[in-house]
Amino acid sequence: MPSFLLTAILIANMVFAGIIVFVERKRPLAALVWLMLLLFLPVVGFLLYLFFGQKLLTRRKFRLKQEDDLRLNQLIADQHRQLAWFQARSPEGDADYLGLARMNLIQASAPITLGNEVMFFIEGLDKFIQLCADIRQAQRFIHVEYFIWRDDFLGRHLVEELTAKAREGVEIRVIIDDWGCKLTPDSLFQPLKAAGGKVFRFLPITLKFVFNANYRNHRKIVVIDGSIGYIGGMNVGMEYLGQRPQHSPWRDTHLRIVGPAVASLEARFLMDYFYVSGEEVGLGERYLPSNVLRPGQVPIQIVASGPDSTEQHVKQGYIKMINSATESILIQTPYLVPDDSLLEAIKIAIFSGVDVKIMLPGIPDKKIVYNVTMSYAGELLEAGARIFLYNGFLHSKAIVVDSRYLSIGTANMDMRSFVLNFEVNAFIYDPKKACEYEVIFEQDLANSRELLRGEYYSRGLWRKFTESVCRLFAPVM
């Protein structure tokens, strides 16, 4: 490498070090990792920080998105009145999750909606059969947002279903994440566009916007006619139907919601749509009707978070749930890379006598992240948690507390979901639904094996070394 180029990189590294410490004010541990990379691997550290570490080139963009979101969010129903309704109908013993609901309302601007009906899907085939059936019944609009949309049989079939409705005059709007769909050609959506549908990529990674790579839209939302909504972990691809042999069986969780909470999903979609398209779709009766049916009895909050948020709303919701637990905590996550606050919250719950069960994949899809996951799993195992490894790939993101309330959505229990990704979760305050999902968890235990301390302690030296090295990079994952 020419000496002048190396000198330029070293100077840039010094500038980046100053930015890390004095401008971006990253978490101390994350800042330390980046500083070590810049110091000991000058060229590699320079490139990694430029593409995955810095926030200066996206800060203004996300601040503008946050301002637009706040402006559009003002048009959602009167939040404080909804809190009064929820408080009036909540038993005295539900004060703990009333506090969670209040926090989500005040901090995350998440309206509380009553009268919802919720259905769990744990099989991808069942979810997509129902989704296609709902799409065929659409009369006014269908809004779709996915992180991954494969160009495979399922991806093409869903495009065909949407194209057919577009030809009938139904409004179709689609958002896909550019990184998640990097191998998905635009030609896949050409029939839909030709029929009048609109398709946009979220934060496209081009030469001009190459620094977008680290910030991904991990949300999975479908809204049909403002009355039916979908949210959860399943993307569009054959692997979500269990058709990837190396990760089979694939276990995931998705929700179908009917009721007022769908308006919150719709508002979230329209905020993202305005950001990617510049088209400010009216938030009137057509898209956020006030006369939505209330077919059930389930209170729900839809909570979103992302790099455009000043706080980590979903993570704070998880911590609030864990801190309020007195009996049991059930967790399912494909990746376990908690920060210190979440890790300590789980440990404190364990030390307080709460029965903590954590279910992780038995088959990894990302080796480095899995090594970090197993390192944290071992630490929690030593603290007294029970760790279970699912016999396949577990992609479900769920937490149930005290058989009373739960959260399911797109956010993994890792720092990428909390800090870098755009995520959305449903917080469900209903003991019946909590117990229903506990039964599902128990069924999953039958297809899992418990990781015992003896097995964990007896793993080889190379594996221990690999886990320890990978964990050093946890703050920047």
Side-chain angles (χ1 to χ4, degrees), residues 125 252 273 303 327 430 440:
L125 183 61
D252 218 324
Y273 183 77
V303 176
E327 298 176 6
D430 185 80
I440 294 173

Side-chain angles (χ1 to χ4, degrees), residues 29-240:
L29 194 54
L32 181 61
V33 172
W34 281 117
L35 290 173
M36 290 176 62
L37 283 172
L38 292 172
L39 176 63
F40 294 109
L41 298 171
V43 178
V44 175
F46 169 81
L47 293 174
L48 287 174
Y49 184 75
L50 193 62
F51 287 99
F52 298 108
Q54 60 82 27
K55 294 182 179 179
L56 284 180
L57 298 178
T58 54
R59 180 176 292 177
R60 181 177 181 274
K61 181 186 300 185
F62 291 155
R63 186 174 67 249
L64 292 174
K65 183 179 189 303
Q66 183 185 39
E67 291 171 358
D68 288 331
D69 286 358
L70 290 173
R71 178 173 57 83
L72 296 174
N73 210 29
Q74 295 302 315
L75 300 176
I76 303 174
D78 185 336
Q79 299 171 0
H80 294 287
R81 181 162 49 87
Q82 292 182 14
L83 178 61
W85 287 347
F86 182 66
Q87 189 166 3
R89 75 185 296 276
S90 298
E92 288 185 17
D94 294 343
D96 286 337
Y97 65 72
L98 179 59
L100 171 63
R102 185 184 294 112
M103 184 193 75
N104 286 335
L105 173 64
I106 295 172
Q107 187 66 14
S109 299
I112 300 161
T113 61
L114 310 177
N116 296 283
E117 180 181 81
V118 181
M119 179 184 299
F120 298 120
F121 289 101
I122 59 174
E123 297 286 347
L125 183 61
D126 294 338
K127 178 244 177 167
F128 283 103
I129 288 175
Q130 182 63 58
L131 176 60
C132 289
D134 289 334
I135 286 173
R136 293 179 197 128
Q137 298 299 315
Q139 299 179 352
R140 296 182 291 123
F141 67 88
I142 303 171
H143 292 160
V144 184
E145 184 171 4
Y146 277 108
F147 174 60
I148 294 172
W149 194 312
R150 305 281 190 205
D151 183 16
D152 56 19
F153 176 81
L154 179 60
R156 292 188 291 270
H157 179 73
L158 192 54
V159 170
E160 291 171 1
E161 293 281 359
L162 294 172
T163 301
K165 297 306 293 186
R167 289 172 180 155
E168 295 176 11
V170 175
E171 296 177 18
I172 309 293
R173 294 180 177 87
V174 175
I175 302 171
I176 57 173
D177 183 76
D178 194 56
W179 178 262
C181 296
K182 60 184 178 295
L183 300 180
T184 304
D186 290 335
S187 58
L188 173 66
F189 300 97
Q190 192 54 44
L192 176 57
K193 293 179 180 178
K198 299 179 180 180
V199 181
F200 291 90
R201 287 179 177 262
F202 192 94
L203 286 181
I205 304 168
T206 63
L207 187 60
K208 181 179 178 182
F209 299 110
V210 69
F211 305 112
N212 290 338
N214 205 31
Y215 303 98
R216 306 314 335 153
N217 186 346
H218 199 235
R219 294 166 180 155
K220 298 100 178 165
I221 296 172
V222 179
V223 177
I224 300 171
D225 285 345
S227 59
I228 299 173
Y230 286 82
I231 176 178
M234 298 182 196
N235 289 292
V236 181
M238 291 300 290
E239 64 265 40
Y240 297 90

Side-chain angles (χ1 to χ4, degrees), residues 396-448:
S396 175
K397 306 100 166 44
I399 176 171
V400 186
V401 170
D402 288 349
S403 307
R404 294 194 299 142
Y405 51 115
L406 68 157
S407 181
I408 291 173
T410 69
N412 302 309
M413 278 208 174
D414 63 12
M415 285 180 265
R416 168 159 289 277
S417 279
F418 298 147
V419 180
L420 299 174
N421 286 346
F422 295 86
E423 305 281 4
V424 62
N425 268 47
F427 286 78
I428 303 171
Y429 308 101
D430 185 80
K432 291 182 180 178
K433 284 297 168 182
C435 290
E436 183 180 340
Y437 199 82
E438 282 188 338
V439 171
I440 294 173
F441 191 95
E442 291 295 327
Q443 293 170 348
D444 290 334
L445 287 179
N447 195 35
S448 306

